Amino acid sequence: MQGEFVIETRGLTRRYGRKLALDRLDLAIPRGRIHAIVGANGAGKSTLFRILLGFLAPTSGESRILGHDSQRLTPEDRGRIGFVNEEHTLPRWMRVSQVTAMQRHQYARWSQRLFDEVIGHYHVLPEQKVGELSRGERAGFNLALALAQSPELLVLDEPTLGLDVVAKRAFLESLLYSNVTEQCTVIYCSHQMEEVERVADNLIILERGQLKNMSAPDDFRARVTHWVADVPFKGPDPRTVPGLLEVQRLDGLHHYLVLDQSADFEAFLRASGARSVQSMPVTLDRAVNAFLAKNHAAPAAA
Amino acid sequence: MARNKALMIQISTGDPRPIGRQIMDAVRMKIATGDLEQGDQLPSVRGLAQQLMVNPNTVAKAYADLAAEGWVDSRQGLGLYVAPPRQRLSDAERERRLDEAVHRFVHDVLLLDYTPKQVQERLAVELRALQPRRSA
Amino acid sequence: MRDLFKSEALRFRGWTAALAGVHLIVLAFLTRMEDLAQQRIFVHTAFAGLYALIGLLLGLFQMGGYRKSSQWLNLLHRPLSRHRIALALVSAGVLQLAVVVALPILLVAILQETTTARVVDLRHWMLPVSALLVSSCAYLAGAFCTLRGPVYAIAALPLLWWLALSNAYGFGMLAVELIVFAWFMVLLLDAFRPDLSAPPRGAGALATALPLQLGVHALIMVFFVGLELVWIAQGSHPNNTATPPAGGHNEVENADPRDRMLAGLKDSRHPDTQLLREQIRKSEPRTIPLPLPRLPQRNELSNFRLLEFNDPGRGVRWVFSHDDMRLHGHRLADGRDRGILGVGADGAAFPALAAPAWARPGTAGEDLLLTAGDTLYQFALESQQVMPRVRVDAGEVAMAALLVGQSFAVMSDRAIYFYPGRPLASKVRLPMPGQVGDLRNLELIDLDDGYLAAFVYSSRSHTPAGTAPFQILLRAHGDGRIETIHRRALRFDYPVLYRYRAWWISPALYTVRDAALDLFAPALPLDATDPAPMPRSIPWLAAVLSLLSLAVAVWRTAGTTLSATSRLAWTAGCGLFGLPALASLWLMVPAQPVAWVSRWARSGAGNVSREASASR
């Protein structure tokens, strides 16, 4: 069944006591390509995946994965969805070869070639016990297992968390080298904007259980601009600044990070008494952080 | 004569320019300085994506944009090759773009407190650096 | 599935090997000193408790390792149905228990059978099976509680307790163990879902609800015990007052035997009353130790009574074998076989299980007595033969032999047979005036002509099954005539509410509990009672509580998203089972409605994508 969307949620809500982990989330992720999901801790990413894979029931709303209802996934459905999380859970007492054999038997579309390709990036021997591998090696092994399943949908939830720089690079390399996106849709959750920038075709931002953005990363980045103005005294009231994400006062100059503002913003600043105004684009990292920090900076602002 | 030449470019994630744009700028610079000559074959999309550790779609888009601007030619089934230099833009367009670039340049250096003479000298140095290696 | 099974089996192999080794060494060591098969029930129960503990720990540890959400996801997110995953894990667990618990017992049994002359019956070969089942039930309980949460221990414990309290014997007990095992499997499979916080559903809900309610019932009983302690501390508890309440059964039970017999004559209008009082005062009443020892059952797994006795003169121990219904002897010194003993010269099989009757006091070293069925046998040490001596009436079971003064007496479950020591005197049969299950005290006096027996029936008067307490004095004359001297009713010392506390909380659960404990159990004569009629207030109280539960259930289920049939079932259940059912409703059905999936309109899905792109 080749549906248009691999993941769909409608009004998905999950409440823990008084806290809303997911707040009427409407999400539709199309098939194909690499989608990055970004959000602060507590934004609802883990809750979302647990619900999508049927490991948690929502308080209200619906969710579908690969066209099937999340709460009613069959073993066949699960065989088409790969999941890798930051803990890279594997039975520690088993040998690498034994775990590989178990996966090979379970998944009908197992590709030994893909497995060998990916595992080749790591110094992992078949006779080693999983408990003996370093964290990075375990992550690589886990990725190899997940990719070799030839899934239709591959979800990676913070897979490089806690890995050292070398291991992180090896992981990304093996992911991109595998050309996985030729057959499968990848959902990549991460805090590391550096990885997201390299890897994502589509940037999804979640904040406090809601969808805040879904677009190409560059399109999002282009929406945020950095303005530096020499404004006397305290400058305009932050609540009046259109599209304000962040404001800082450094060396007597006002630095504004604003969203969706055109060159007209200069006019606004000059009208507020700015003597000199300059603007420049921002990095994706900065744009996303400012966007997410907005809610913390001025909670009263709309 | 077509040779497969290594593309020695870098991209950085902390750059305000998107990765696709960085690739395009780097390829254009290589062509402009003569590191890439007419007829040289660019690396495959997959190959360059692996080399730079980025999403292949980003490389594919950059290549497509380069082809659209006429810097490279796509040969069916063989890949991308550096195109012969030709004027791809109309005179009016060229004029417009030069105006735009000059405007921007002047605007940017305005506050730097250099004399026009110093700025012109600097500009001359840069342009001279590009000159000799550019193939006619 | 096989891979997962092997993986789990590998996980514990170190511990399994080590524990199996330790177990085997301990058993082998103990076997050299004692015949482990011929131990009393409490020894076997202690071992069973230990095996259950091992099983429980395995269940907690194995499932505990998977309980964490990332581990659980990794375990269940695979192209294998959740039932097969559960089965793979459980099979591996039970295999470990088979190696640790059952295998050493089996090996020791083989050792005992092949290298010693000790009796190893079919029932003993069943012991490793029973041990494995008990251990596995505890294992499943541990696994279940790990997945569902510690509160569900309230449901798991009654099932495990059923194993401990069941009245079944032998194969019946194995059947009960199998039922509990199957029940736990149903519970575990229902709990084994990707969404661990989902409440029990369907058959699983039914299977969880009943033990849960029984558990709540038991907790209420414990609470009542607490209240009883307060009552005791307060000082007005009938058992603990300085002087027992006058006219009640406690007073009589705690009295001196002579005083008890004299009390039996209180308010008597019989002409011989004064005479008998003097007789009682100058005699030494023979008190019969009660309750009577349990009857052995064919193929019982353990032993309430040891069916063995020693012949000290020849240094031989004789042990009764259930398989061939004969006595097997072996030398105490070196364990060598000393032959098989049946009834009579030709060694016929005993018609029933033979247990040592009470030896006649002062006859150490002389003949030994055995009871089997309705017959009393004598083991003649000189001739080394067993001969039948005395037979009670058909349909009765001979229980014990005793001396009363100069006479020899045999007690059956319904009468006492006196064999006077005087020459030419014939036997006297004194039928017992109540049910043996109610009998609390029995005193006998050998009179010049006949016997005087004082009975107190009150042993279960503090429970719903007990009789209304009374005391009765009977006189058996030498010519066989039986005369009732006096019968007096005793007061219930305990208030009605206390006596029926197990019943009025939930009559339905009380019945279910009794039925469960008696499942596959033989009807035992010692358990027969003559229940007192239930006072009318008690059923009214139960009815009121049921209605109250029903009402609260209706209110409570209104706020949930249960289907109409579920709601009806829960409400009916609360009406039928009362307050414990209400407690289980509270626990199992969350108040906050959880969204089960409703239909997804395809047009709705199309709208979502447009909305999503418009959100940019």
Side-chain angles (χ1 to χ4, degrees), chain C residues 81-243:
Chain C
S81 84
R82 63 186 181 90
H83 288 120
R84 298 183 121 210
I85 298 173
L87 271 162
L89 261 57
V90 167
S91 311
V94 171
L95 177 66
Q96 308 307 306
L97 293 174
V99 171
V100 171
V101 167
L103 191 62
I105 301 177
L106 186 67
L107 289 175
V108 167
I110 292 173
L111 190 77
Q112 187 140 302
E113 167 82 344
T114 51
T115 64
T116 69
R118 291 175 179 168
V119 170
V120 181
D121 289 328
L122 175 64
R123 67 196 190 105
H124 298 132
W125 295 109
M126 291 296 110
L127 281 174
V129 178
S130 177
L132 178 60
L133 282 171
V134 167
S135 190
S136 303
C137 288
Y139 159 73
L140 290 177
F144 168 71
C145 288
T146 306
L147 292 184
R148 276 252 175 255
V151 179
Y152 280 87
I154 302 178
L157 280 172
L159 285 171
L160 289 177
W161 219 236
W162 185 6
L163 296 176
L165 294 179
S166 169
N167 294 322
Y169 289 82
F171 291 104
M173 188 66 218
L174 288 180
V176 171
E177 288 168 0
L178 272 169
I179 289 176
V180 172
F181 182 84
W183 201 305
F184 269 121
M185 278 305 290
V186 172
L187 292 179
L188 184 67
L189 286 175
D190 177 70
F192 208 87
R193 288 170 193 279
D195 181 11
L196 281 172
S197 57
R201 276 213 289 254
L206 277 170
T208 314
L210 190 58
L212 192 61
Q213 291 167 14
L214 284 166
V216 172
H217 188 244
L219 279 178
I220 295 175
M221 292 301 115
V222 168
F223 173 66
F224 282 157
V225 168
L227 286 182
E228 195 173 348
L229 288 173
V230 169
W231 190 12
I232 290 173
Q234 194 218 14
S236 61
H237 192 270
N239 248 358
N240 295 76
T241 47
T243 51

Side-chain angles (χ1 to χ4, degrees), chain C residues 435-610:
Chain C
Q435 294 293 344
V436 119
D438 286 316
L439 186 61
R440 181 69 166 82
N441 299 101
L442 174 57
E443 264 84 31
L444 300 169
I445 286 181
D446 187 0
L447 304 169
D448 297 328
D449 172 38
Y451 308 90
L452 186 66
F455 299 85
V456 175
Y457 285 92
S458 69
S459 72
R460 296 198 199 180
S461 297
H462 60 282
T463 67
T467 184
F470 66 98
Q471 183 178 28
I472 185 167
L473 247 64
L474 292 178
R475 182 178 182 171
H477 293 269
D479 54 9
R481 195 165 40 101
I482 308 299
E483 188 186 4
T484 304
I485 303 296
H486 183 56
R487 180 196 162 116
R488 70 180 190 119
L490 299 169
R491 276 226 324 257
F492 283 104
D493 282 331
Y494 299 96
V496 173
L497 219 59
Y498 174 88
R499 295 204 320 265
Y500 289 93
R501 70 192 186 282
W503 194 89
W504 55 260
I505 291 289
S506 173
L509 281 180
Y510 181 85
T511 315
V512 166
R513 190 168 142 266
D514 268 4
L517 292 180
D518 287 336
L519 187 65
F520 300 129
L524 295 178
L526 285 185
D527 291 337
T529 63
D530 183 19
M534 191 180 289
R536 278 239 289 269
S537 56
I538 298 296
W540 276 112
L541 176 61
V544 164
L545 288 177
S546 278
L547 276 170
L548 185 69
S549 304
L550 191 93
V552 176
V554 168
W555 167 76
R556 165 75 183 207
T557 53
T560 64
T561 51
L562 290 174
S563 67
T565 35
S566 295
R567 238 192 114 181
L568 192 66
W570 271 111
T571 313
C574 285
L576 184 62
F577 289 99
L579 293 174
L582 202 61
S584 71
L585 172 65
W586 230 266
L587 220 69
M588 282 172 61
V589 177
Q592 185 74 271
V594 176
W596 301 121
V597 180
S598 55
R599 293 197 172 277
W600 178 282
R602 281 187 211 276
S603 56
N607 287 335
V608 170
S609 65
R610 264 171 261 135

Side-chain angles (χ1 to χ4, degrees), chain C residues 289-355:
Chain C
L290 289 169
L292 292 170
R294 286 218 205 191
L295 283 174
Q297 301 296 316
R298 184 96 195 270
N299 285 328
E300 61 187 2
L301 294 174
S302 183
N303 315 287
F304 283 94
R305 296 164 72 177
L306 292 179
L307 304 186
E308 60 185 31
F309 59 90
N310 290 346
D311 179 356
R314 286 173 184 71
V316 174
R317 172 173 291 176
W318 294 95
V319 177
F320 194 85
S321 161
H322 291 226
D323 281 355
D324 59 11
M325 300 296 272
R326 290 179 177 82
L327 291 161
H328 292 234
H330 64 267
R331 276 233 287 263
L332 283 167
D334 57 4
R336 286 241 303 257
D337 188 17
R338 276 295 258 116
I340 298 177
L341 199 59
V343 177
D346 43 348
F350 283 83
L353 295 172

Side-chain angles (χ1 to χ4, degrees), chain C residues 14-31 36 47 50-51 54 99-101 103-105 107-108:
Chain C
W15 278 100
T16 300
L19 276 173
V22 167
H23 187 204
L24 185 61
I25 289 170
V26 167
L27 285 183
F29 177 68
L30 290 173
T31 286
L36 291 173
F47 271 94
L50 196 63
Y51 299 144
I54 291 174
V99 171
V100 171
V101 167
L103 191 62
I105 301 177
L107 289 175
V108 167

Side-chain angles (χ1 to χ4, degrees), chain A residues 179 194 197-199 201 218 283, chain B residues 13-14 18 46 52 55 57:
Chain A
N179 297 301
E194 199 242 30
E197 198 171 346
R198 283 177 185 277
V199 141
D201 290 305
D218 201 57
T283 61
Chain B
T13 50
R46 264 176 74 153
L52 298 175
N55 191 320
N57 289 323

